[in-house]
Amino acid sequence: MADVSWGPQLDLGAAITESQRLLDHGDPARARDLLEAESVLAPPEELELWQGLWQLADGLEWALRGESLVAAARLRRARDLVGSYEDRPPHALDITGLLAWSAHVIDELAVTTRDPDWVPPVPRLRMP
C-alpha cells in the first residue's frame, strides 16, 4: 500500500469509512493516524468523540502487539471519551457496539491464561 500523507482532507464521514477499511485490513496504526488527523475538522462538541475513536484504534494496535497493559489503558480512556455520545451518536457510529467491543477486549487482555494465539476482533465503527 502506498504511503499516504494524512491531513484534514476528507469529510468526517469519509474518514470513518476509510478508517474502517484500514481496521478491516489489519492496519489500526494508519486508522489511528487518519482519525487523529481528521479530528481537526470535527466540531468542538465532537472533539472528545474523535479523540476516543483514534484511541480505540491505538488500543487495538497495542493489543495486536501483545502489550496488554498499554492496550487496556488506551481502550479504557477511549471508552470514557466515546461513552458520552451513546445517546446521540453522530455519523451513524455504533457507540453502544464500540463500548461493548472495548469492554470485551479489555476483559480478554486481563485474562492471564488467554490463548497465546488470541487476536482481538476488529471493531465496527458504524451501526450495521
Side-chain angles (χ1 to χ4, degrees), residues 1 5-6 26-27 29 41 49 61 72 79 102 113-116 120:
M1 182 179 292
S5 173
W6 300 116
D27 200 347
L41 298 175
L49 169 71
E61 179 184 7
R79 183 184 60 200
S102 62
T113 58
R114 181 178 63 245
D115 178 348

Side-chain angles (χ1 to χ4, degrees), residues 60-101:
L60 176 59
E61 179 184 7
W62 283 104
L64 289 168
R65 289 182 184 177
E67 297 289 341
S68 297
L69 293 176
V70 177
R74 295 287 197 279
L75 293 173
R76 279 189 210 92
R77 177 72 177 133
R79 183 184 60 200
D80 292 345
L81 289 167
V82 302
S84 64
Y85 295 86
E86 188 172 18
D87 63 341
R88 51 183 170 68
H91 313 287
L93 288 167
D94 184 5
I95 301 298
T96 301
L98 290 171
L99 295 173
W101 172 84

